[in-house]
Amino acid sequence: MSKHNPKALPIIGWREWVSLPALGVPKIKAKIDTGARSSSLHAYDVKVFERDGQSYVRFEVHPIQRSKRETIVVEAPVLEFRKVRSSSGHAHRRPVIVTMVEALGQSWPIELTLANRDAMGFRMLLGREAVRGRMLVDALKSYYGGQPNADQRKAKVRTIKKRKKKAPLESDSRREKNE
């Protein structure tokens, strides 16, 4: 894979099924968005807390587009907080995490901003920084990596455990001790 030889780069469609194994997300449909610098993941109930002097974030993900039935609870270290301008022009301060993404048989680390994408068509955007020098984007086609059939998608969803009860954050337990 050479940055100087485009023919050596794999081709990715404008939308693909990807996985985020370190976050426990087996499959999520992502829009490959070269107009967006950074990648973004749909996250809600986002809580930032401290652990051993490091900022962490706990959040929830609905991995299946147009469905809120399945929930994955994730904790990850915060890389930084970044001001990101949305497509509507509004700037928001978002936590950024680093995780591995798998697509087209490849795996590599990406930075993900966390944002509520309920109103958006895709639960994840894979921005240009994530694919730069790794893949060429075909804006006319989708799913070069294939699509899970309905049975595979249902089987994957069944493996995701529904959240029973939220564990208290460390910062919550410290606050309770001080009250």
Side-chain angles (χ1 to χ4, degrees):
M1 285 193 321
S2 166
K3 290 182 181 183
H4 304 292
N5 183 1
K7 292 182 191 255
L9 297 177
I11 298 173
I12 192 168
W14 72 270
R15 60 186 170 174
E16 293 287 344
W17 285 96
V18 302
S19 62
L20 304 169
L23 303 183
V25 178
K27 290 284 181 194
I28 189 166
K29 196 185 303 183
K31 178 180 179 183
I32 314 308
D33 189 351
T34 60
R37 181 181 175 277
S38 56
S39 299
S40 182
L41 178 65
H42 168 67
Y44 68 99
D45 200 17
V46 177
K47 304 275 192 260
V48 178
F49 62 99
E50 293 285 320
R51 178 183 293 152
D52 299 325
Q54 162 82 36
S55 290
Y56 276 74
V57 63
R58 177 183 292 145
F59 58 96
E60 298 181 30
V61 177
H62 293 304
I64 306 301
Q65 201 167 310
R66 293 183 295 279
S67 174
K68 294 182 180 180
R69 289 186 305 154
E70 305 302 331
T71 300
I72 300 172
V73 179
V74 179
E75 281 188 9
V78 174
L79 174 67
E80 65 184 10
F81 291 89
R82 190 177 293 163
K83 206 175 233 187
V84 178
R85 190 166 306 279
S86 68
S87 57
S88 64
H90 293 78
H92 301 279
R93 188 173 177 263
R94 296 180 184 169
V96 179
I97 64 170
V98 176
T99 193
M100 297 299 285
V101 65
E102 291 180 1
L104 298 165
Q106 296 185 25
S107 180
W108 69 97
I110 61 168
E111 293 180 2
L112 276 176
T113 64
L114 304 177
N116 187 324
R117 299 186 49 80
D118 261 342
M120 308 303 276
F122 289 84
R123 298 289 166 102
M124 183 173 169
L125 285 183
L126 201 56
R128 69 178 173 264
E129 289 298 319
V131 296
R132 180 184 310 243
R134 293 185 180 279
M135 299 177 175
L136 296 176
V137 180
D138 182 346
L140 294 176
K141 293 192 179 179
S142 301
Y143 310 121
Y144 276 88
Q147 291 190 71
N149 64 38
D151 291 337
Q152 288 172 322
R153 284 194 297 260
K154 287 177 187 171
K156 292 283 186 186
V157 168
R158 279 193 289 266
T159 64
I160 300 168
K161 303 285 186 210
K162 285 194 175 182
R163 189 176 64 125
K164 299 282 187 208
K165 185 177 177 186
K166 193 186 305 184
L169 298 174
E170 288 182 22
S171 58
D172 292 343
S173 58
R174 279 191 221 129
R175 195 172 341 165
E176 289 171 7
K177 289 177 188 174
N178 293 333
E179 291 178 352

